[in-house]
Amino acid sequence: MTIATFSDHTATFPQTAATNAAGTAIIEARHVGKTYRAERGKELTVLRDISFTLHEGEIVAILGRSGAGKSTFLRILAGLVPASSGTVTYRGTDITGPNPGVGLVFQTFALMPWLTVQANVELGLEARGVPREERRRAALQAIDAIGLDGFENAYPKELSGGMRQRVGIARALVVQPDALFMDEPFSALDVLTAENLRNEVLKMWSGNQRSIKSVLIVTHNIEEAVQMADRVVVLGSHPGHLIADMPVTLPRPRDRHSAQFEAMVDTLYAILTGQSRDGGPADTADERTAAGDGVAHGTSDGAANQTAAADQAPARASDADHQASSDMLPNATPGGLAGLVEIVYDHAQGIDLADLAAELSFEVDDLFPLIDAGTMLGLLTVENGHVTLTELGRQWRQADILTSKTMFAAMLQDKAPLVRIIDRAVRHSEHGRLRGELIVDLLRARHTDAEAERQFNIAMTWGRYGELFDYDADDDIITVDAANPANATRAAEEASETD
């Protein structure tokens, strides 16, 4: 057995996604769904009706928020997790177990700590029954190609995070897979190490002697997706579903500071925040996919993906779980939201989400809950990846503490259904007291136990900040905030309406 050399750093990069996408299909997923049995026998749908094709000669990034099922979808394509519905084929053959054409790189390195670097790299070859001497030669060549020559006999504990991930990449490449799958491979690394390793992977991909035919990378980092991929597939959340499939036609190597790069990043931010090109909410898969500059389906598999997306739209509009997710409170604190409004306030003309994330040193999954909270409460607007304060947002920023709390309470009453329901339930209870477990039990009818607890805790934080109610966690009792005179006024108004 021989292994290709991946060290040709001077080779030219493929120029466009269009040329790459014309290659032979390696892996095809058709109408894939995944459902788990959750607590109390309930079913939890993680993925719904996703169709996707990976072609020879392309790097594809799967992008999405937390909860989009990106890693689950990757593992289904790799044959590590069975799909609940739909089919996955490798070069035309249905897969019923581990996909023989895939090498997988994990976020957490997944090295055996008791094995040396060389032994870790040989694991896949050993599992395939490759003779000892042959796998030794192949492993040493892979280790050299990935830049770890001299560390063959080192143990993982002796290596930095970047070096450990290099071992993981060498272990995946040594089996000469058709497709290299990478599950958030750089997220556990520091910024500089991650950037260096991204470039190393791109250099290996550009090498004339590379054996891998395609790369599929899961990420929540939009800049990383645009930097590396020829095509970006975007999944929506709760459950995971296809919302865009966009080619990236920028020439390589890519300049992060170019107008074209920044425009592509802004477009993807707009898609992930659910904004159509005119700034309105993109409520269907068709609208959100159209946000990709009208080229969301420019690959040779575009027609199938477009049909799948269109088919999903009516079902999603009526699905209970989709409706429930639209009412969910974003996982953001009032203090964090106030800090975000403070920063956006300093930009009179607003700020691009990409620049905002860079200014805050936030990842996408850290930023989006704050953005969602701000838009839910009417403090922010997001149009095509550009965030600005509303007039209400400016007033809230300029208000004193007491006034800002009163305003926040009014926003919750108007825009946060769960907080409003809890507030009214407490005030209408016989003694102005309510057990928190009652609210959690009601939430469990629509959410998993963990999500029900999370939604309850967010509601308590928001409601207490707005002085709508108090919560004694020790006794699990919610009570009306008697210190807030607005509560007495509101109770009197509701009483008169009842009369």
Side-chain angles (χ1 to χ4, degrees), residues 11-12 23 27 48 89 92 100 103 143 153 156 234 242 313 324 352-353 388 401 422 431 441 455 497:
T12 57
I27 298 171
R48 180 173 52 211
T89 60
I143 290 168
N153 296 316
V234 186
L242 178 70
D352 286 346
L353 285 169
T388 55
I401 293 178
I422 293 172
H431 301 292
D441 277 345
Q455 286 294 300
E497 290 175 3

Side-chain angles (χ1 to χ4, degrees), residues 9-24:
H9 293 184
T10 61
T12 57
F13 291 88
Q15 289 301 301
T16 67
T19 56
N20 290 335
T24 303

Side-chain angles (χ1 to χ4, degrees), residues 237-238 283 316-317 319-330 372 376 415-417 446-447 455:
S237 304
H238 306 301
D283 289 327
R316 184 157 53 251
D319 251 10
D321 56 359
H322 177 69
Q323 183 61 43
S325 69
S326 66
D327 294 335
M328 291 171 64
L329 299 177
D372 289 345
M376 169 187 275
K415 303 291 188 180
R446 296 168 61 184
H447 305 292
Q455 286 294 300

Side-chain angles (χ1 to χ4, degrees), residues 45 56-57 60 92 169 182 226 235 241-242 286 336 372 439 484 496:
T45 301
E56 286 189 6
V60 177
I169 293 172
M182 309 182 81
V226 177
L235 299 184
H241 56 280
L242 178 70
D286 296 343
D372 289 345
I439 303 299
N484 187 350
S496 64

Side-chain angles (χ1 to χ4, degrees), residues 305-372:
N305 283 338
Q306 188 171 20
T307 301
D311 289 343
Q312 292 169 31
R316 184 157 53 251
S318 60
D319 251 10
D321 56 359
H322 177 69
Q323 183 61 43
S325 69
S326 66
D327 294 335
M328 291 171 64
L329 299 177
N331 191 13
T333 64
L337 181 58
L340 175 66
V341 167
E342 185 79 33
I343 290 174
V344 179
Y345 182 83
D346 291 337
H347 298 270
Q349 304 304 315
I351 182 173
D352 286 346
L353 285 169
D355 295 334
L356 180 60
E359 185 172 330
L360 294 171
S361 297
F362 272 19
E363 293 287 355
V364 171
D365 285 348
D366 298 323
L367 179 61
F368 279 154
L370 290 168
I371 295 294
D372 289 345

